[in-house]
Amino acid sequence: MRWIDTLESAAAGKLPEAVHRYFRQGSAGGVSVGEATAAWSAYRFRPRVLNDVSGIDLRTTVLGTPVDAPVLVAPSTMQRMADPDGELAMARGVGAARSVLGVSSNAGSTFAELGGTGVPWWLQIYVVRNRDITRRMLDAAVAGGARAVVLTVDTPVVGRKEDEGETVWDLVKPGQLLANLPAGDWTEDDLGKADDLNPDIIGWLAERTGLPVVVKGVLRGDDAKRCADAGAAGIIVSNHGGRQLDGSIPTARALPEVAEAVAGSNVEVYVDGGIRRGEHILTALALGARAVFVGRPALWALTVGSSEGVTRLLTDLADELDHTLRLIGAPTPSALTPDLITTYP
């Protein structure tokens, strides 16, 4: 059995049930989270033959940052419940694999601490109703060395979770969450997700930080074009791991339309959601993604093996991608094209 396939059950044995449930669950009836991986596996390949694949090179760049393979770690919260060092342990694992880390604005580690690791990281931001909180958090991220801002746009309200009994919120301890919340006497309304956003927020974030802005949570080509026109440097095709609007289209199905909508521009396209195999990564790259993000597998790996587990996860997936590139007849990710992929049936 592949090591990655053992991770969730191994993590379940180490985590409180409510934390494990929080990490794995989707919203409402769990339709979207249940479809994610199968949607990638539904594609079929049309490999080329008699191509020289004696030397495979997985290296690429994401917004100018070199990475050893196009496999990045998605932002996620509650990491100190998976490992005492939380995002810092995740960063060490990502750094050893020469990748890029997405960091949640709800992180339990400070941006200054993350900057001290030397690992390239992108801040995921929820714009909240009280913009002063957002401004101060952005400023702290810039001071901590963030290389991009990832604007989550699919969360005007938090998706409904159908929990019973004890939840993760009953277990969270001080210091495990919101380490970067500015000091202040904030109300729940202050911290509520802003539901009045429009594309102008992209330019505001870029101007405030001087960093490239990546828009996360796009599933439509027309929305991708609006983001690009507003100045986005990147798009992450994402349905929030199935944790927002249940029944949203799988990212594997949304990616081709989004990639086509911004083709010919300088906007980089990424994708997350259900990616578990080198074949899934190959499919995503051929359909127009520059790199993929993995979320839950990184949390399981952090729980089971701390930073070394995260490094192994990323390198195992890179090794599988190397293997599949050889079999499909492409020596580099940039050699992949949509004609190598077909839908099935």
Side-chain angles (χ1 to χ4, degrees):
M1 179 181 287
R2 299 161 66 239
W3 184 69
I4 188 175
D5 293 333
T6 70
L7 286 176
E8 182 177 352
S9 60
K14 299 187 69 171
L15 293 169
E17 192 279 332
V19 177
H20 175 252
R21 182 184 350 120
Y22 178 79
F23 285 165
R24 68 170 168 77
Q25 73 187 149
S27 62
V31 172
S32 291
V33 72
E35 292 178 340
T37 297
W40 290 109
S41 296
Y43 284 103
R44 295 295 181 267
F45 302 121
R46 302 174 64 242
R48 298 189 182 100
V49 297
L50 297 177
N51 280 351
D52 184 355
V53 290
S54 58
I56 299 293
D57 188 354
L58 299 181
R59 292 174 298 175
T60 187
T61 61
V62 290
L63 297 181
T65 297
V67 292
D68 277 2
V71 187
L72 319 178
V73 171
S76 58
T77 191
M78 300 292 188
Q79 291 186 22
R80 286 193 181 273
M81 289 189 158
D83 183 279
D85 285 343
E87 291 82 5
L88 300 180
M90 187 76 84
R92 290 193 294 269
V94 169
R98 280 182 47 86
S99 184
V100 164
L101 174 64
V103 174
S104 170
S105 54
N106 295 327
S109 303
T110 68
F111 299 148
E113 290 173 318
L114 285 159
T117 69
V119 175
W121 64 278
W122 297 358
L123 168 68
Q124 174 273 329
I125 193 76
Y126 294 109
V127 176
V128 296
R129 291 174 188 161
N130 187 325
R131 294 293 198 275
D132 187 49
I133 295 172
T134 300
R135 282 190 290 267
R136 291 166 63 182
M137 192 172 287
L138 291 168
D139 293 348
V142 171
R147 299 196 186 185
V149 176
V150 178
L151 169 66
T152 295
V153 294
D154 60 4
T155 314
V157 294
V158 176
R160 186 180 77 256
K161 310 301 187 297
E162 298 180 351
D163 282 313
E164 290 185 6
E166 188 176 56
T167 73
V168 70
W169 306 109
D170 298 316
L171 302 177
V172 67
K173 299 176 182 177
Q176 291 182 324
L177 192 66
L178 290 173
N180 298 285
L181 180 67
D185 188 17
W186 310 115
T187 67
E188 287 190 19
D189 188 66
D190 286 327
L191 295 170
K193 306 294 191 291
D195 56 7
D196 60 348
L197 301 182
N198 62 52
D200 291 344
I201 195 68
I202 296 170
W204 180 78
L205 289 168
E207 181 178 1
R208 180 76 189 187
T209 64
L211 298 174
V213 177
V214 180
V215 182
K216 178 179 182 287
V218 177
L219 295 172
R220 297 172 55 97
D222 52 1
D223 278 344
K225 184 67 165 55
R226 291 170 68 217
C227 293
D229 290 345
I235 302 288
I236 302 178
V237 179
S238 175
N239 64 14
H240 214 113
R243 295 173 70 87
Q244 282 302 107
L245 178 61
D246 194 29
S248 292
I249 184 174
T251 55
R253 297 299 186 190
L255 174 60
E257 179 184 319
V258 171
E260 183 180 359
V262 298
S265 72
N266 293 323
V267 175
E268 297 185 0
V269 176
Y270 312 97
V271 66
D272 66 19
I275 294 168
R276 301 292 184 269
R277 292 183 167 273
E279 291 83 358
H280 299 162
I281 302 168
L282 178 78
T283 299
L285 301 179
L287 292 176
R290 189 171 187 89
V292 304
F293 281 90
V294 291
R296 289 181 178 92
L299 286 172
W300 307 139
L302 182 67
T303 303
V304 172
S306 193
S307 56
E308 293 82 3
V310 174
T311 302
R312 179 176 176 182
L313 170 74
L314 296 174
T315 54
D316 280 2
L317 288 172
D319 288 346
E320 289 188 5
L321 177 60
D322 179 297
H323 181 79
T324 56
L325 283 171
R326 293 176 192 274
L327 290 174
I328 209 165
T332 65
S334 62
L336 295 168
T337 50
D339 62 288
L340 295 167
I341 308 296
T342 188
T343 56
Y344 179 83

